[in-house]
């Protein structure tokens, strides 16, 4: 096995060809590969055509996201149906490939609209998902209600079995016990079944026997030793329950999406019928930052609950690195929420996360989300203070200026402040109704009994939502030991560029990067993502990891290598089963902690792992114990099949820096409660390499960027808009 990078303990291995695997690999990035990200307000599409990256935004359909995707595919087909070249592609057999970022799982958890499921666990531990942990989210709130478990008490079944912590079988479930269990579950008639037995991560024998017994019922199964073979029974059980809760819904949605994609695949050709019979291939973005096959996503939907935001973070890191920025704070402000994250060098997934108040233990990118977006609703609380979000107007009815909303949103405030140009929204395809926004907002203020003027109210909405997002950025930077002054703020999403400069000033971030096509960057991230699968196993080994030579005792490398080889063998088996071909790249890491701690830090599995752990503990928590015993808790392996780079033509830098850029209009825009006559530029008109100064409004198809007075900005060779704040 060749070493790709010893410092990061990476390795590479070429898969043995499987039947049809080469065809499968080629089709992942076929000519008609389209990345689609479903958001709360818009569904974004990105694809490559004639060497150029194309973008399309359509309104989302929250009741059935696949309807918006079908609309997008129809529009793409109408726009790209040309004789000649398209016909040649079709005759060559180019099938449609969809790379999809979905919010179906997230919305089902937030709205509690998943399946009716049964939980099977070790007898006596049926209530573990209700007992949970002692931690209280709000310590002094006497009226705080804990999140209700996803499985009701009557659907939790105990089985008489016992495994000890070392993996020794103390009691096997008898045939009579398995028969009793199967009949009890049959009578309950759940939609799906979750199975999580004590210490199944150490030895899955009993859990496999239970799974085989209830498999006869024909229900979707979620089994803990397959999904999350790690310790901590509460988090492991919660993860498996979430997976079962989403399985029937995700399977139904994926089948519907595949059917709609098949119906519209022929429309992406020239009408000759040459694509007829080509079944579209669908891949789904995972929360860990990589795509997976449709069957894998339907089998383990818990890995997709942060699908869209993960694509945005991958896209932000990819675009920022093209401009030389390796340390970034990503800021994705969409229609309903804002997602923020910190990246140093490369995007890395974290361990334990929480979604809708429920622990989820599968790897996820460390993204922090707040309910602040363009569609966030403004309101006055009982004390008369102005609040914004987390409630959102979403796609239906949407902001007031979209024509149907009746309550003011952040988008309405930005429009009335002149920061969004009404006739340049979505490239002029959709005109925002300024008159309606002004009239309905004034009437709303009157009903609220507010004495604020319209200008004061709009400025207040922007300040409040900025404060909410600033707190989120502090969570992923300052609270985790990072200095924001060392990072660049990469702002994207439909509303990110409207607020980025204000947030960067507040946090002393020196540079703002607005990537090309910012309103569809999540879809772009999905398009460039690698195929990824994550594997883990809890071991609980102890070793001395002191910095002093006399107490140094590193991990037994031979034993560690043997355990990693087992995970790599499992990865090769799964990639072959999914018909992938190519070189697998492995990234090894370890969850470590000091003996006696109840939390771990993940570090790369290098030869000097203890020193790296001490350094990371010092950075994260401000101290370390040089001579204290260290515990290796969990091995983690990420198997990655790299995506070929996109072949997209870049704009050339201007030969003459003195070239003048003419604004398309000048308009009054509010900055710090004062209207300033501001030039409005179309982003495609900006000359690469030509430095300019604010104030300015940069309009483009997918987003709008507002730049205050005095800030220097330019478009670089990678088509990123760079704004200097300091």
């Amino acid at each position: 096995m060749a070493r790709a990078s010893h410092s990061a303990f990476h390795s590479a291995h070429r898969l043995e060809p499987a039947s049809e695997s080469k065809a499968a690999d080629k089709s992942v990035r076929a000519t008609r590969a389209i990345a689609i990200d479903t958001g709360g307000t818009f569904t974004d599409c990105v694809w490559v055509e004639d060497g150029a990256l194309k973008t399309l935004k359509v309104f989302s359909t929250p009741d059935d996201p696949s309807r918006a995707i079908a609309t997008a595919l129809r529009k793409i087909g109408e726009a790209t149906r040309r004789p000649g070249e398209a016909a040649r592609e079709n005759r060559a057999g180019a099938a449609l490939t969809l790379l999809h970022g979905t919010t179906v799982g997230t919305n089902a958890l937030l709205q509690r609209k998943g399946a009716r499921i049964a939980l099977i666990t070790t007898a006596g531990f049926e209530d573990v998902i209700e007992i949970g942990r002692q931690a209280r989210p709000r310590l002094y709130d006497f009226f705080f209600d804990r999140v209700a478990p996803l499985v009701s008490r009557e659907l939790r079944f105990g089985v008489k079995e016992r495994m000890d912590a070392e993996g020794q079988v103390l009691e096997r479930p008898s045939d009579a016990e398995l028969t009793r269990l199967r009949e009890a579950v049959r009578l309950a008639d759940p939609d799906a079944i979750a199975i999580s037995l004590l210490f199944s991560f150490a030895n899955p024998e009993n859990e496999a026997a239970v799974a085989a017994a209830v498999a006869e019922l024909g229900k979707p199964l979620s089994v803990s030793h397959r999904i999350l073979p790690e310790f901590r029974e509460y988090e492991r059980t919660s993860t498996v329950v979430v997976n079962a809760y989403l399985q029937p819904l995700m399977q139904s949605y994926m089948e519907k999406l595949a059917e709609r994609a098949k119906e519209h695949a022929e429309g992406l050709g020239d009408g000759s019928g040459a694509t007829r019979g080509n079944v579209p291939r669908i891949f789904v973005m995972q929360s860990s930052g990589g795509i997976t096959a449709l069957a894998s996503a339907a089998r383990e939907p818990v890995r997709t609950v942060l699908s869209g935001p993960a694509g945005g973070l991958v896209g932000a890191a990819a675009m920022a690195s093209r401009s030389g920025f390796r340390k970034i704070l990503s800021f994705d402000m969409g229609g309903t929420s804002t997602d923020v994250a910190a990246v140093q060098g490369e995007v890395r997934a974290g361990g334990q996360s929480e979604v809708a108040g429920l622990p989820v233990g599968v790897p996820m990118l460390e993204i922090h989300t707040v309910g602040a977006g363009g569609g966030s609703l403004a309101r006055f609380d009982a004390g008369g203070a102005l609040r914004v979000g987390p409630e959102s107007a979403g796609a239906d009815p949407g902001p007031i200026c979209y024509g149907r909303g009746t309550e003011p949103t952040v988008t309405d405030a930005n429009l009335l402040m002149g920061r969004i140009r009404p006739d340049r929204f979505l490239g002029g395809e959709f005109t925002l109704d300024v008159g309606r926004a002004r009239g309905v907002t004034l009437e709303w203020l009157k009903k609220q009994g507010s004495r604020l003027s319209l200008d004061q109210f709009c400025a207040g909405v922007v300040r409040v939502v900025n404060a909410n997002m600033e707190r989120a950025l502090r969570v992923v930077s300052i609270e985790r030991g990072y200095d924001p002054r060392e990072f660049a703020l990469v702002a994207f999403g439909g509303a990110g560029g409207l607020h980025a400069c204000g947030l960067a000033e507040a946090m002393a971030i020196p540079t703002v990067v607005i990537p090309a096509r910012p309103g569809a960057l999540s879809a772009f991230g999905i398009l460039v993502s690698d195929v990824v699968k994550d594997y883990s196993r809890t071991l609980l080994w102890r070793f001395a990891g002191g910095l002093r030579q006399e107490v140094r005792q590193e991990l037994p490398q031979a034993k560690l290598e043997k355990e990693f080889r087992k995970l790599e063998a499992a990865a090769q088996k799964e990639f072959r089963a999914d018909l992938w071909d190519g070189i697998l790249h492995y990234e090894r890491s370890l969850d470590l902690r000091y003996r006696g701690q109840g939390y771990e830090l993940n570090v790369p599995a290098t030869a000097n792992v203890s020193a790296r752990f001490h350094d990371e503990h010092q950075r994260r928590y401000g101290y370390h114990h040089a001579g204290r015993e260290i515990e290796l808790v969990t091995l983690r392996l990420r198997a990655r099949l790299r995506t070929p780079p996109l072949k997209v033509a870049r704009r050339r830098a201007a030969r003459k820096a003195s070239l003048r850029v003419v604004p398309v209009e000048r308009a009054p825009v509010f900055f710090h409660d004062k209207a300033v006559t501001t030039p409005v530029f179309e982003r495609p008109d900006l000359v690469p390499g030509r430095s300019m100064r604010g104030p300015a409004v940069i309009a483009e198809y997918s987003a709008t960027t507002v730049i205050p007075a005095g800030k220097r900005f330019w478009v670089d060779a990678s088509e990123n808009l760079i704004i200097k704040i300091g």
Side-chain angles (χ1 to χ4, degrees):
M1 181 180 295
R3 292 277 184 251
S5 171
H6 178 73
S7 62
F9 211 168
H10 290 192
S11 59
H13 179 86
R14 183 164 191 91
L15 291 174
E16 293 295 330
S19 61
E20 304 179 42
S21 60
K22 292 186 177 181
D25 185 48
K26 292 178 180 178
S27 70
V28 176
R29 291 298 182 266
T31 305
R32 293 298 181 188
I34 303 172
I36 300 179
D37 174 47
T38 301
T41 306
F42 288 99
T43 294
D44 306 327
C45 306
V46 172
W47 71 100
V48 177
E49 182 183 342
D50 298 337
L53 208 58
K54 301 290 185 179
T55 303
L56 174 69
K57 295 176 78 74
V58 299
F59 283 104
S60 294
T61 50
D63 60 311
D64 180 5
S66 67
R67 286 199 294 113
I69 295 175
T71 300
L73 293 177
R74 177 176 53 79
K75 289 189 174 184
I76 294 173
E78 293 171 352
T80 60
R81 188 180 297 140
R82 303 193 309 262
E85 184 180 16
R88 286 195 298 272
E89 290 173 354
N90 291 336
R91 283 194 294 270
L96 172 63
T97 299
L98 292 185
L99 309 167
H100 183 29
T102 175
T103 57
V104 169
T106 312
N107 293 339
L109 287 176
L110 292 173
Q111 301 169 17
R112 292 300 181 102
K113 293 184 178 180
R116 179 176 176 271
I117 63 173
L119 169 63
I120 300 174
T121 187
T122 303
F125 290 83
E126 295 90 344
D127 296 329
V128 67
I129 60 170
E130 192 158 359
I131 296 171
R133 298 288 177 190
Q134 292 183 350
R136 293 172 59 91
R138 294 198 288 272
L139 188 60
Y140 300 107
D141 186 352
F142 294 109
F143 304 100
F144 173 74
D145 292 325
R146 296 186 62 181
V147 175
L150 297 177
V151 188
S152 58
R153 185 63 183 83
E154 65 273 12
L155 287 173
R156 303 176 207 158
F157 301 91
V159 58
K160 293 180 181 179
E161 67 83 36
R162 187 53 72 96
M163 188 80 61
D164 71 9
E166 303 301 322
Q168 298 297 316
V169 179
L170 303 181
E171 181 182 2
R172 287 183 172 83
S174 65
D175 292 342
E177 177 70 2
L178 293 177
T179 300
R180 180 200 63 80
L181 175 69
R182 181 170 57 247
E183 290 307 308
V185 176
R186 187 197 305 275
L187 289 174
D189 193 27
D191 298 323
I193 302 171
I195 305 174
S196 180
L197 306 185
L198 284 185
F199 301 112
S200 61
F201 63 87
N203 183 348
E205 181 180 334
N206 284 356
E207 196 169 81
V210 172
V214 297
E216 300 174 13
L217 301 178
K219 306 289 184 178
L221 294 182
S222 295
V223 187
S224 75
H225 73 267
R226 299 173 188 164
I227 296 174
L228 191 68
E230 299 180 20
F231 80 147
R232 293 195 174 102
E233 66 271 18
Y234 170 54
E235 288 77 8
R236 176 163 50 90
T237 303
S238 174
T239 302
V240 175
V241 164
V242 168
N243 193 77
Y245 187 72
L246 299 178
Q247 259 186 315
L249 181 68
M250 186 65 78
Q251 288 177 353
S252 174
Y253 170 69
M254 291 301 175
E255 289 171 2
K256 188 182 298 183
L257 175 61
E259 188 61 32
R260 290 189 186 275
K262 184 177 180 181
E263 292 173 1
H264 290 271
E266 296 175 13
L268 292 171
D270 64 346
S272 66
T275 57
R276 192 168 293 133
N278 273 341
V279 178
R281 300 197 70 207
I282 301 176
F283 302 88
V284 181
M285 187 68 179
Q286 301 176 97
S287 308
S288 60
I291 63 169
T292 188
L294 177 67
S296 297
R299 186 172 59 249
E300 297 186 6
V302 69
R303 298 184 184 274
T304 69
V305 292
L306 289 181
S307 179
L313 183 53
V314 171
M319 292 300 292
S321 65
R322 295 183 182 185
S323 296
F325 297 99
R326 302 286 291 170
K327 298 176 70 173
I328 67 169
L329 295 176
S330 72
F331 168 57
D332 177 7
M333 185 177 180
T336 58
S337 63
T338 292
D339 304 308
V340 297
V343 176
Q344 289 199 99
E346 62 181 23
V347 175
R348 294 189 63 190
Q352 295 292 334
S353 303
E354 194 173 276
V355 180
L358 301 167
V360 176
V362 295
M364 294 186 181
L365 299 186
E366 294 184 344
I367 299 171
H368 182 62
T369 302
V370 292
S376 294
L377 296 170
R379 70 183 193 282
F380 293 98
D381 65 14
L386 179 62
R387 305 287 186 184
V388 180
E391 297 82 5
S392 174
D396 185 12
I400 297 171
C401 58
Y402 285 10
R404 287 187 295 171
T406 57
E407 297 178 79
T409 66
V410 175
T411 295
D412 295 310
N414 277 312
L415 176 67
L416 294 173
M417 293 174 70
R419 296 152 67 94
I420 299 176
R421 308 312 303 157
D423 55 348
R424 300 187 185 280
F425 192 72
L426 292 182
E429 294 180 4
F430 185 81
T431 302
L432 301 178
D433 194 336
V434 182
R436 186 176 191 275
R438 180 178 291 108
V440 174
T441 302
L442 284 171
E443 184 64 26
W444 182 86
L445 285 171
K446 184 178 179 181
K447 289 180 180 179
Q448 302 299 313
S450 174
R451 296 183 179 180
L452 294 176
S453 68
L454 186 62
D455 293 340
Q456 290 173 331
F457 170 73
C458 292
V461 168
V462 171
R463 280 198 296 270
V464 171
V465 78
N466 278 0
N468 294 342
M469 296 184 295
E470 182 185 339
R471 282 195 294 270
L473 284 168
R474 288 179 178 274
V475 167
V476 300
S477 58
I478 297 171
E479 293 185 16
R480 295 182 182 175
Y482 298 127
D483 186 345
R485 295 171 296 184
E486 299 176 358
F487 288 73
L489 182 66
V490 181
F492 55 101
L498 295 166
H499 301 264
C501 291
L503 290 170
E505 280 190 297
M507 296 189 64
I509 299 173
T511 307
V512 171
V513 179
I514 310 293
R517 293 161 287 275
L521 193 69
S522 292
F524 172 79
I526 295 169
L527 189 65
V528 301
S529 292
D530 298 330
V531 183
V532 168
K533 289 183 183 290
D534 292 285
Y535 303 86
S536 61
R537 187 187 175 197
T538 292
L539 292 177
L540 291 175
W541 291 352
R542 292 175 181 173
F543 66 101
L547 294 178
R548 298 191 301 274
Q549 188 65 36
E550 62 271 19
V551 296
R552 182 180 296 277
Q553 180 186 341
E554 286 290 352
L555 281 167
Q557 292 299 322
K559 288 179 64 179
L560 193 64
E561 181 69 20
K562 182 179 180 180
E563 294 298 332
F564 271 121
R565 294 281 185 154
K566 292 179 182 177
L567 297 182
E568 290 175 2
Q572 293 169 29
K573 182 179 179 180
E574 285 200 25
F575 272 80
R576 287 195 194 99
D578 286 344
L579 303 180
W580 294 109
D581 179 36
I583 298 177
L584 276 184
H585 297 267
Y586 299 120
E587 300 166 15
R588 299 175 171 184
S589 64
L590 305 171
D591 285 358
L592 304 178
R593 67 185 182 189
Y594 291 120
R595 183 178 181 183
Q597 284 183 331
Y599 51 89
E600 299 83 45
L601 290 175
N602 181 261
V603 297
T606 56
N608 59 340
V609 65
S610 59
R612 296 198 64 154
F613 170 70
H614 291 308
D615 291 343
E616 179 64 13
H617 201 283
Q618 178 70 40
R619 185 199 65 77
R620 186 70 179 265
Y621 302 113
Y623 72 97
H624 69 275
H625 296 291
R628 193 165 179 175
E629 192 174 28
I630 298 173
E631 289 183 328
L632 188 165
V633 178
T634 303
L635 270 69
R636 298 195 183 277
L637 177 76
R638 167 163 284 203
R640 182 190 302 270
L641 189 62
R642 299 197 182 279
T643 296
L646 289 179
K647 297 180 180 180
V648 180
R650 294 186 180 184
R651 298 174 65 189
R652 295 181 179 179
R655 294 182 179 179
K656 297 182 179 179
S658 61
L659 290 177
R660 185 168 180 268
V661 181
V662 180
V664 292
E665 64 172 313
R666 294 181 183 273
V669 179
F670 274 82
F671 292 94
H672 304 293
D673 302 334
K674 180 181 179 182
V676 178
T677 301
T678 303
V680 178
F681 301 97
E682 290 283 358
R683 182 157 175 171
D685 294 340
L686 299 181
V687 180
R690 168 77 162 86
S691 179
M692 304 171 68
R693 286 193 178 273
V697 171
I698 313 297
E700 57 184 302
Y701 173 76
S702 65
T704 300
T705 302
V706 174
I707 304 173
K711 308 303 180 188
R712 190 164 59 90
F713 66 94
W714 67 93
V715 173
D716 67 8
S718 297
E719 299 187 56
N720 291 330
L721 178 62
I722 312 296
I723 307 170
K724 284 297 179 182
I725 302 298

